[in-house]
Amino acid sequence: QFFLGHFTILLLSSTTTLILCISIVLALMGCGGSKRKKAAIVTVGADKKAVGLAAAKFIAAEATKAIAANGKFTVAFSGGSLPKIVGPALSELKVSNTEEWYVFFSDERCVALTSDDSNFKSVQEHVVVPLSIPNDNVLAIDAKEFADPVKAAELYETALKKSFSGTEMPSFDLILLGMGPDGHTCSLFPGHSLLSERGRLIASLSDSPKPPPSRITFTYPVLNSAKAVAFVCTGGGKSTALKSVIEGPPSGEDMLPSGRIENEVHWFVDADAAKELSKDSISEDA
């Protein structure tokens, strides 16, 4: 899909000469563009609890839709505060058919699964166990390979393809993401070479600017193939990055990683995170 960024008309002072110069700007995935290809739908809650409940209702609706259509719900979680915010709200909603939920991880720190830095541990504690999702339905990083991020990424990609056998590209029913104050999502950081990775579904890095340094992560081909993508974002420390992602970066600056997803994206944010957004950028209040 092509996007017309701007066009310039040059009138040359000549007898009958009119030259129309049209300059087409492509909003290519991962190419430092400043515009999102589809709209962001922003829901603002007063606090973390309201954000969690709004996000949980969205998750439950996507699960119901997927299970009705395909008999299962494939969902990928990031770590950070996201599981702690949406997990209790999902429990409060008493969502059903969780035995048909299949849980994956959009990124993972290369640490032991019992480490407090492990995204698996957080999702297990706040989502999987409370919702009685079968452990066999959870695809975690290979615990034997967490010391080798390259190998861990290769194995997770192989397992991911096996889970979505029969398709060239895994298409999750829902990918749930968070955003850091620097605008990163998954383990895709501003200025990092992985922003342009297109050959691998799962990539590794050992130079994360945020500890721990070794991680594996979804790449944009996976993120852009999802049926639905939603961010959960809270705190005033993220307000500047959120404004840049939703309304476009300042002139001359590249789009932050969280703004490079091509599909329509749902954002569930609190009032502190949304404090720099214009009213026109907010779709609804939670």
Side-chain angles (χ1 to χ4, degrees), residues 35-151:
K35 293 188 178 181
R36 175 190 304 283
K37 287 192 174 181
K38 292 189 178 179
I41 300 172
V42 182
T43 300
V44 180
D47 52 26
K48 285 184 179 180
K49 185 173 182 179
V51 171
L53 186 58
K57 289 178 179 178
F58 176 79
I59 296 166
E62 292 299 308
T64 298
K65 181 169 63 176
I67 292 169
N70 302 306
K72 64 180 180 179
F73 175 51
T74 55
V75 57
F77 284 84
S78 63
S81 61
L82 186 147
K84 301 172 186 177
I85 294 174
V86 302
L90 286 167
S91 295
E92 184 178 330
L93 286 180
K94 296 180 171 57
V95 292
S96 60
N97 297 322
T98 54
E99 69 278 3
E100 305 301 341
W101 286 35
Y102 289 81
V103 175
F104 301 78
F105 297 87
S106 61
D107 73 319
E108 181 59 282
R109 291 85 176 265
C110 290
V111 296
L113 297 181
T114 55
S115 169
D116 289 339
D117 284 329
S118 167
N119 290 342
F120 167 83
K121 181 180 179 182
S122 181
V123 173
Q124 189 80 3
E125 289 181 355
H126 298 287
V127 180
V128 173
V129 172
L131 297 185
S132 300
I133 298 171
N135 285 329
D136 288 345
N137 291 9
V138 181
L139 184 63
I141 187 174
D142 190 319
K144 300 187 297 296
E145 300 294 346
F146 68 83
D148 183 349
V150 174
K151 184 66 172 177

Side-chain angles (χ1 to χ4, degrees), residues 177-209:
L177 301 172
M179 181 182 72
D182 62 352
H184 85 270
T185 191
C186 299
S187 286
L188 299 168
F189 293 91
H192 199 280
S193 61
L194 287 184
L195 297 182
S196 59
E197 174 60 52
R198 297 296 179 266
R200 291 171 290 177
L201 306 184
I202 308 295
S204 65
L205 63 162
S206 56
D207 58 350
S208 167

Side-chain angles (χ1 to χ4, degrees), residues 19 24 32 124 127 148 172 184 191 233 253 266 286:
I19 301 178
I24 301 177
Q124 189 80 3
V127 180
D148 183 349
F172 285 91
H184 85 270
C233 176
E253 293 187 15
H266 295 260

Side-chain angles (χ1 to χ4, degrees), residues 199-256:
R200 291 171 290 177
L201 306 184
I202 308 295
S204 65
L205 63 162
S206 56
D207 58 350
S208 167
K210 180 181 178 181
S214 295
R215 300 160 176 247
I216 68 171
T217 181
F218 281 5
T219 57
Y220 284 109
V222 179
L223 297 176
N224 290 329
S225 295
K227 297 179 180 71
V229 175
F231 278 81
V232 175
C233 176
T234 62
K238 301 178 181 180
S239 62
T240 299
L242 183 63
K243 178 178 176 62
S244 179
V245 168
I246 300 299
E247 298 179 357
S251 178
E253 293 187 15
D254 287 347
M255 175 61 82
L256 293 171

